[in-house]
Amino acid sequence: MLGEISHDISQVFPMQRLLQGEVGSGKTMVALLAMLQAADCGYQSALLAPTEVLAAQHFASIFAQAPAGVNVVLLTGSMKTAAKRQALLDIVSGEADIVIGTHAIIQDTVEFYDLGLVVVDEQHRFGVEQRDTLRGKAQQYPHMLVMTATPIPRTIAMTVFGDLSVSTLRELPGGRKPIQSFVVPESNEAWVARGWARIREEVAKGHQAYIVAPRIEEAGGVKKLMEELEFGPLRGLRLAMLHGKMSDKDEVMAAFARGEYDVLVATTVIEVGVDVPNATIMLIRESENFGVSQLHQLRGRVGRGGNASLCLFHTLAAPGSASFQRVNAIAQTSSGFDLAELDLANRKEGDILGTLQSGEHRTLRLLNLLTDGETISRASFDATGLVARNEQLARELVAELTEDEQAYLDKS
């Protein structure tokens, strides 16, 4: 797999590769090795992360592991003016070999000296236009490596159609244990009570817990849930609240990571990049309101320290309903790759020749990506051969594509 990426980077035409692997499987290490290869050739690399918390974690990890002489720079929107000015100067002058940041590195004020490799982490968090804006900061089309733990249906479609080569990390790091998952229906009071009891048991062992809610305000939101838990089933435990509208969310997350709180009651702000090895249990409230990818990403926040861990999918859905069955299927499936197929079956593949990432907007009519894989693969193989034998004929066959569709293919 490393050989595939190294080979692609060595070629004169730009790499377009998807690196998929379970949460914590080592995708960042693979990306670092690719970025070091680019640095050896005199090119800069940019790693785009969806949140400042994740960008900071990537920076700390990569800064510590990069060999001497490799300059790693962080650029985020909340950085102080002096630090941001220095980062921008390092990037445009070429002093920065590896640039790690959030959407801040897409801004017009950011200019690269010679960008050769773009790495996009949790690629489903970014649109085609955003990825293309970053790629456009290079003097010529850079190599592109996109990483994900749960490929969204549209990504599967792009992969199947040959727009992305695929590298896969299937093994978990040594010491990681599978996360046990169970569905907790609201209608079963005994199971709900047992869920709160399991959280108290884990805390009594010295571990920590996450409780995830689907909203901030109103019934079932983090604010009301926090009040209910403080004076109810989790009374006496050290609870903290976290959601995207808080100004001190990074401080709260850091305090939880240091062990200053037993339970973190949060929204999906913890979905990506949060790494607290001591957290061993998660309760996701109203799990039927979350997507397949979200639930798998959230579940991956526990069990990162080698301890036996548990994820409880609470649901208001009636047993036997379609929503209940979907949540139950996720609970029974630990593989992100199998879940991607489940997501594809539920949401379809989205807009193949466009920027819409919603699976409900389906442009395919005669093909089914779950059942017609061999046909699609053969078509891709034959198309590649046709281009090699008769490029003019190949161009004539796609002449009916609109300018917007052609432009999308160029970006993608």
Side-chain angles (χ1 to χ4, degrees):
M1 182 266 303
L2 285 172
E4 294 173 341
I5 295 174
S6 178
H7 174 269
D8 283 2
I9 294 178
S10 302
Q11 303 304 302
V12 294
F13 50 88
M15 171 180 71
Q16 293 271 51
R17 185 167 288 274
L18 170 68
L19 175 60
Q20 56 183 358
E22 298 289 357
V23 176
S25 61
K27 296 185 295 295
T28 303
M29 177 57 70
V30 173
L32 172 57
L33 293 174
M35 291 188 289
L36 291 178
Q37 182 175 340
D40 283 342
C41 297
Y43 292 98
Q44 293 174 299
S45 297
L47 191 158
L48 181 60
T51 67
E52 292 204 359
V53 171
L54 183 54
Q57 288 184 357
H58 278 319
F59 174 75
S61 173
I62 289 175
F63 181 84
Q65 297 178 77
V70 175
N71 188 17
V72 184
V73 170
L74 176 67
L75 181 63
T76 64
S78 66
M79 290 172 62
K80 294 183 178 180
T81 302
K84 186 178 294 184
R85 184 182 297 117
Q86 184 60 54
L88 292 172
L89 180 61
D90 289 345
I91 295 170
V92 72
S93 67
E95 287 295 316
D97 299 302
I98 297 174
V99 181
I100 300 172
T102 56
H103 295 76
I105 64 177
I106 305 177
Q107 303 304 311
D108 293 339
T109 54
V110 181
E111 295 183 21
F112 284 83
Y113 178 75
D114 198 354
L115 180 61
L117 171 64
V118 171
V119 180
V120 182
D121 194 16
E122 297 306 335
Q123 65 88 23
H124 62 282
R125 291 296 196 90
F126 301 96
V128 173
E129 297 294 342
Q130 291 174 310
R131 298 196 295 267
D132 187 61
T133 298
L134 178 55
R135 186 163 47 190
K137 292 181 178 293
Q139 297 177 19
Q140 56 186 1
Y141 261 51
H143 296 293
M144 175 75 78
L145 179 66
V146 295
M147 305 191 298
T148 186
T150 50
I152 59 173
R154 187 169 169 280
T155 302
I156 300 174
M158 292 170 65
T159 300
V160 171
F161 280 106
D163 296 308
L164 291 172
S165 301
V166 183
S167 292
T168 302
L169 287 167
R170 291 196 174 273
E171 295 182 4
L172 290 175
R176 288 286 295 272
K177 297 178 181 178
I179 302 168
Q180 289 187 302
S181 302
F182 299 96
V183 178
V184 180
E186 175 68 17
S187 57
N188 192 319
E189 294 182 4
W191 287 18
V192 172
R194 179 57 184 151
W196 299 126
R198 284 293 288 117
I199 291 175
R200 299 191 72 96
E201 290 170 8
E202 288 300 309
V203 171
K205 295 177 184 177
H207 297 309
Q208 292 166 278
Y210 294 106
I211 298 174
V212 182
R215 63 190 72 89
I216 299 175
E217 308 287 349
E218 303 175 351
V222 288
K223 291 184 177 180
K224 290 195 176 294
L225 186 58
M226 181 79 171
E227 296 176 5
E228 295 171 5
L229 296 177
E230 282 182 316
F231 299 100
L234 300 186
R235 181 184 304 165
L237 301 185
R238 299 174 300 168
L239 273 64
M241 180 172 62
L242 183 67
H243 58 76
K245 293 184 178 180
M246 293 171 55
S247 59
D248 61 342
K249 53 183 176 293
D250 288 343
E251 290 82 353
V252 173
M253 191 65 244
F256 181 69
R258 291 193 297 267
E260 297 176 14
Y261 297 107
D262 301 315
V263 180
L264 187 64
V265 183
T267 58
T268 55
V269 68
I270 67 165
E271 176 186 345
V272 174
V274 176
D275 190 1
V276 181
N278 193 44
T280 57
I281 185 169
M282 173 178 286
L283 172 62
I284 303 176
R285 298 281 295 179
E286 300 180 34
S287 59
E288 71 276 8
N289 290 318
F290 298 94
V292 173
S293 176
Q294 275 188 311
L295 290 176
H296 187 58
Q297 287 280 2
L298 287 167
R299 175 168 54 185
R301 297 306 108 203
V302 297
R304 303 177 73 86
N307 299 301
S309 298
L310 179 66
C311 185
L312 302 175
F313 294 105
H314 167 269
T315 180
L316 299 178
S321 67
S323 295
F324 186 92
Q325 291 175 356
R326 183 177 68 91
V327 171
N328 192 55
I330 297 168
Q332 294 178 6
T333 308
S334 60
S335 167
F337 307 109
D338 292 340
L339 286 174
E341 290 199 358
L342 173 64
D343 203 12
L344 177 59
N346 286 331
R347 295 202 299 134
K348 310 308 178 187
E349 69 287 330
D351 187 5
I352 302 301
L353 293 178
T355 58
L356 295 178
Q357 300 220 23
S358 169
E360 296 302 324
H361 185 88
R362 189 170 191 263
T363 53
L364 290 184
R365 293 291 180 266
L366 303 178
L367 286 174
N368 184 309
L369 297 185
L370 287 175
T371 59
D372 297 330
E374 290 186 9
T375 300
I376 296 169
S377 179
R378 175 60 188 271
S380 178
F381 177 82
D382 290 344
T384 301
L386 177 60
V387 171
R389 295 191 309 272
N390 192 335
E391 182 176 338
Q392 180 57 38
L393 175 58
R395 290 185 179 277
E396 292 174 2
L397 291 173
V398 298
E400 63 184 32
L401 292 178
T402 66
E403 290 186 7
D404 287 343
E405 290 170 340
Q406 289 281 10
Y408 171 78
L409 288 175
D410 288 339
K411 293 176 182 180
S412 182

